[in-house]
Amino acid sequence: DTAVSQTPKYLVTQMGNDKSIKCEQNLGHDTMYWYKQDSKKFLKIMFSYNNKELIINETVPNRFSPKSPDKAHLNLHINSLELGDSAVYFCASSIGVGTPYEQYFGPGTRLTVT
Amino acid sequence: AQSVTQLGSHVSVSEGALVLLRCNYSSSVPPYLFWYVQYPNQGLQLLLKYTTGATLVKGINGFEAEFKKSETSFHLTKPSAHMSDAAEYFCASGGYQKVTFGTGTKLQVIP
């Protein structure tokens, strides 16, 4: 019974295309996140939502747009994909906002832009 | 601003040997500290965390970490490495809303 799920697991696309990654959590958590992990395994937060409200928006190109239709879902849409967008994108959730709370990570989506 | 430094991007130990993964943090306020593990092609999962209270924290799979404020360290240890411990380990530090991750340490366990 998957706690945090992401689709697709792999995404291969060409430069200039638009793509979306979907995330769902069945933990009843209020807060969800998107992280980007580069080829050197460096993990950087991109966005965080609490009860569908954006609370963290790091320095991310505005080609990236998160959307939270409800507390259980946080999708990531990327416009005009670039080579540098190639990475593994992780969705995560936590019971509340604030760092004492453990984050539960999805399995990741490996995006390859050619 | 929070920052986390993990010393050693790769650590190799023999099966049965002590595992020691080093983490130092910088923070202007007492931090929340975490260790996460990432197995190949999987997401991260929490090993242990320090918020307040006892400075020696025990986690899953026999791992523990000690918060040392004077050294600004939160090193991860396990007395005896097992082959299944081979993975990437991330130390993380949290302020109010955001968790900052270190660059990770890849643990190799040699039979």
Side-chain angles (χ1 to χ4, degrees), chain A residues 9-10 33 35 37 40-45 48 55-56 58 88 90 97-108 110, chain B residues 31-32 34 36 38-47 49 51 88 90 93-104:
Chain A
K9 189 167 175 61
Y10 299 96
Y33 312 81
Y35 286 89
Q37 186 176 49
K40 295 184 178 179
K41 300 284 189 178
F42 182 63
L43 196 65
K44 184 170 166 49
I45 191 166
S48 173
I55 56 170
I56 294 175
E58 290 295 288
V88 181
F90 287 100
V97 71
T99 53
Y101 302 109
E102 173 183 356
Q103 295 186 23
Y104 292 77
F105 284 77
R110 183 174 295 276
Chain B
Y32 299 113
F34 308 83
Y36 282 84
Q38 184 180 26
Y39 297 104
N41 299 314
Q42 294 186 27
L44 281 70
Q45 65 180 88
L46 184 72
L47 275 178
K49 68 177 180 181
T51 53
E88 190 94 23
F90 292 89
S93 170
Y96 171 56
Q97 289 182 335
K98 189 173 68 171
V99 173
T100 300
F101 286 85
T103 49

Side-chain angles (χ1 to χ4, degrees), chain A residues 13-16 36 63 80-87 111-114:
Chain A
T13 188
Q14 292 184 326
M15 285 175 55
K36 179 180 180 181
R63 299 182 294 102
S80 303
L81 278 154
E82 300 177 357
L83 292 176
D85 298 332
S86 295
L111 171 65
T112 304
V113 182
T114 60

Side-chain angles (χ1 to χ4, degrees), chain B residues 40-110:
Chain B
N41 299 314
Q42 294 186 27
L44 281 70
Q45 65 180 88
L46 184 72
L47 275 178
L48 49 81
K49 68 177 180 181
Y50 170 79
T51 53
T52 59
T55 57
L56 182 62
V57 181
K58 295 189 185 299
I60 61 171
N61 301 338
F63 284 94
E64 61 182 38
E66 187 171 9
F67 170 62
K68 292 188 176 180
K69 186 178 177 182
S70 61
E71 298 177 8
T72 60
S73 69
F74 191 57
H75 301 331
L76 181 71
T77 60
K78 181 174 180 177
S80 176
H82 192 272
M83 295 299 294
S84 61
D85 295 327
E88 190 94 23
Y89 291 80
F90 292 89
C91 182
S93 170
Y96 171 56
Q97 289 182 335
K98 189 173 68 171
V99 173
T100 300
F101 286 85
T103 49
T105 297
K106 186 170 185 175
L107 177 65
Q108 181 185 18
V109 182
I110 304 166

Side-chain angles (χ1 to χ4, degrees), chain A:
Chain A
D1 197 21
T2 305
V4 182
S5 59
Q6 295 180 229
T7 53
K9 189 167 175 61
Y10 299 96
L11 188 52
V12 181
T13 188
Q14 292 184 326
M15 285 175 55
N17 285 349
D18 303 338
K19 290 293 178 185
S20 291
I21 306 171
K22 295 186 176 182
C23 177
E24 176 180 4
Q25 55 95 1
N26 62 6
L27 297 167
H29 288 170
D30 286 341
T31 308
M32 296 184 72
Y33 312 81
W34 277 111
Y35 286 89
K36 179 180 180 181
Q37 186 176 49
D38 63 23
S39 58
K40 295 184 178 179
K41 300 284 189 178
F42 182 63
L43 196 65
K44 184 170 166 49
I45 191 166
M46 301 173 68
F47 303 102
S48 173
Y49 272 74
N50 179 251
N51 281 320
K52 304 195 300 175
E53 182 180 338
L54 182 65
I55 56 170
I56 294 175
N57 184 351
E58 290 295 288
T59 310
V60 176
N62 57 17
R63 299 182 294 102
F64 290 79
S65 53
K67 282 190 171 53
S68 181
D70 55 55
K71 278 192 343 179
H73 296 84
L74 180 61
N75 304 322
L76 183 65
H77 188 75
I78 316 170
N79 290 326
S80 303
L81 278 154
E82 300 177 357
L83 292 176
D85 298 332
S86 295
V88 181
Y89 292 84
F90 287 100
C91 178
S93 72
S94 62
I95 196 168
V97 71
T99 53
Y101 302 109
E102 173 183 356
Q103 295 186 23
Y104 292 77
F105 284 77
T109 295
R110 183 174 295 276
L111 171 65
T112 304
V113 182
T114 60

